[in-house]
Amino acid sequence: MANNSTTMEKIVALCKRRGFVFQSSEIYGGIGGFWDYGPLGVELKRNVKEAWWRDMVSGHDETAVPAGAPAKYGMVGLDTTIIMHPQVWKASGHFDLFYDLFVDCRTCKARFRADQIQDSQCPRKPSLHPGEHAECDLTEPREFNLMFKTNIGALLDPSAEAYLRPETAQGIFVNFKNVLSSSRVKVPFGIAQIGKSFRNEITPRNFTFRSREFEQMEIEFFCSPEASQAWYSYWRDGRLAWYTALGLGSDKLRLREHGPEERAHYSCGTADIEYAFPFLPAGEFGELEGVSHRSDFDLRSHMEGKLIREGDALVVERNEHGQPKHPGSGKDLSYFDDTTQTKYVPHVIEPSAGADRATLAFLCEAYDEDAIPDEKGVPQERIVLRLHPRLAPIKAAVFPLVKKDGQPEIASEIYRTLKQRWNVFYDEKSSIGKRYRRQDESGTPFCITVDHQTMDDGTVTVRDRDTTEQIRIKQTEIEAWLAERL
Ligand code: GAP
């Protein structure tokens, strides 16, 4: 569990030193808001995504009612494109409304998010906020659409303009009918997707927390209007429990239900799952995932066109000629429920998580410093990543104690056997203490060492990363022993 001395500087330094995260294009000076995952980072993030996919989609049992769920339900996946028909973003509302307000300083030409002025520094005098220096000359707040624009094909005119998706969700909504007609799912069911999203954030910051290119893990869960509140509660509580089960079980994790004034105009309920990241002041939390009850807003938008709220109703926004301002597809996205013999536009519950933010939270939570005795019994400070074994990039490391007496041969044999099932690591360089500490910093839960006794009785030592305790088990039992714990 992360201790109080965990700082962002320490996390960033560890990420660079051990190959979790690097700045993108670093040899050219880097590029703001873009990050690369190194050899350990790619394994960690893949494990986060695979745990999510396994727990939400491929491992879901649709023949039973899960604890806390109102009914049985189906889950399927999708992998849709990053660039979609531009009308998708007009009907969804992103074209008109997906913006942040920014202000420019006419003197120093710096740009700030209007709602982050009090968290930003004046480039001329970093102890002051923008606007506080005598020479600051800030503009009025202006809108800045966060979608990255690109062109399709050789034409550069507006008809060829397209956008990199700012969320994976819309790829799911526009495929709702395809999924219904091609698979055997029935409402209630969810469609899941993991993929890259892009937002031209005005001020990317806090390491990977606010990036311009990031990955989302989103579920759009389709249900009847009557059952939607019960499903909202199920997903909100279930998603919180998922983070807890993977190690964010401390007081650093919380669920925050939005008040009506904070919710989007179409939402009947929104909660954020938040984590107290070390870059935040004490008592503040940052969003890991939003769980939202989106009513029938999304499917109706793609049927009828961009919707706005008028009183209690969602109605199509019209232009000066009375036509839909941004028309939808005109396709019927309603659902005929053959158990109740009713037709309706399904309501949507959306648990929307960020793979990079989850990875960062697991890293922050896992970071710890303690002192353990070295070979001579002298306490040595160590950095240890107490990652959940499912998330650990390397599941076990295999060492020969010395590079002779047949030990490397036996250790290699163990390594080769385990490698068929897990990402394991072989190391015979430097002292055993250094090898252990390297693995502690990488978050490897178990280190297996072949020593002199192995040659006599066929046992090896297995060292536990968290307790540093060592036990002896038979070489022939290692695989089963690990399988029980990973
Ligand atoms: N479809 C709903 C949606 O996209 P969101 O709250 O804007 O909702 C969902 O994004 C999640 O995506 C966030 O909770 C966060 O984990 C992640 N996310 C959003 N913007 C991000 C950014 N600039 N950098 C990293 N992750 C981001």
Side-chain angles (χ1 to χ4, degrees), residues 122-142:
C122 169
R124 297 231 155 158
K125 193 152 192 220
S127 60
L128 298 176
H129 300 306
E132 290 177 356
H133 191 280
E135 290 168 16
C136 289
D137 182 9
L138 301 186
T139 62
E140 286 302 306
R142 283 179 286 168

Side-chain angles (χ1 to χ4, degrees), residues 18 20 39-40 43-44 47 387-398 415 419 422-426 438-439 441-447 465 486:
R18 283 287 170 239
F20 280 96
L40 287 184
E43 295 291 340
L44 173 62
N47 291 342
L387 287 167
H388 190 288
R390 278 183 84 189
L391 302 182
I394 299 168
K395 305 300 181 192
V398 187
Y415 163 79
K419 191 78 180 171
W422 298 292
N423 189 27
V424 293
F425 185 77
Y426 178 82
R438 202 182 159 82
Q439 293 307 315
E441 281 203 354
S442 305
T444 308
F446 304 108
C447 291
R465 171 198 67 199
L486 291 174

